[in-house]
Amino acid sequence: MKVSVQAVAVWGRVAPSHSITAIMITDDQQTIVTGSQEGQICLWDLSSELKISSKEILFGHTASVTCLAKARE
C-alpha cells in the first residue's frame, strides 16, 4: 500500500528562488529532480497525467548545483 505525503512549504509568503541549472528524471519516471543556482535540490512528483507537484526541497549546498546523477544500488 502506497502512502501519500504532501509537501509543506515553510518559507512564508515568498518561496525561495530556484533558478534551475540541472535536471534529472528517475528511472521509474515518477520523480523529477532539479538543482538550482542557489544551491537547492528539489524533488517533484510527476503523475501519469504529466502533472508536476512539489515533493521536497533540500537546502545546504553553498554553491550552485550544476550536475545531478543517480547513485548505484
Side-chain angles (χ1 to χ4, degrees):
M1 176 160 121
K2 184 178 178 181
V3 177
S4 177
V5 178
Q6 292 288 359
V8 177
V10 291
W11 48 68
R13 298 185 131 199
V14 179
S17 297
H18 188 71
S19 305
I20 295 174
T21 52
I23 189 166
M24 181 184 77
I25 190 164
T26 57
D27 289 337
D28 62 7
Q29 298 181 348
Q30 294 182 357
T31 303
I32 297 172
V33 183
T34 58
S36 77
Q37 183 175 341
E38 295 79 18
Q40 306 151 356
I41 295 175
C42 291
L43 305 177
W44 309 86
D45 280 326
L46 179 60
S47 73
S48 57
E49 297 84 28
L50 301 179
K51 292 184 180 180
I52 299 171
S53 57
S54 62
K55 187 174 181 179
E56 294 180 64
I57 186 168
L58 309 172
F59 296 93
H61 286 85
T62 57
S64 296
V65 177
T66 58
C67 181
L68 295 167
K70 60 184 178 182
R72 292 188 222 180
E73 293 182 16

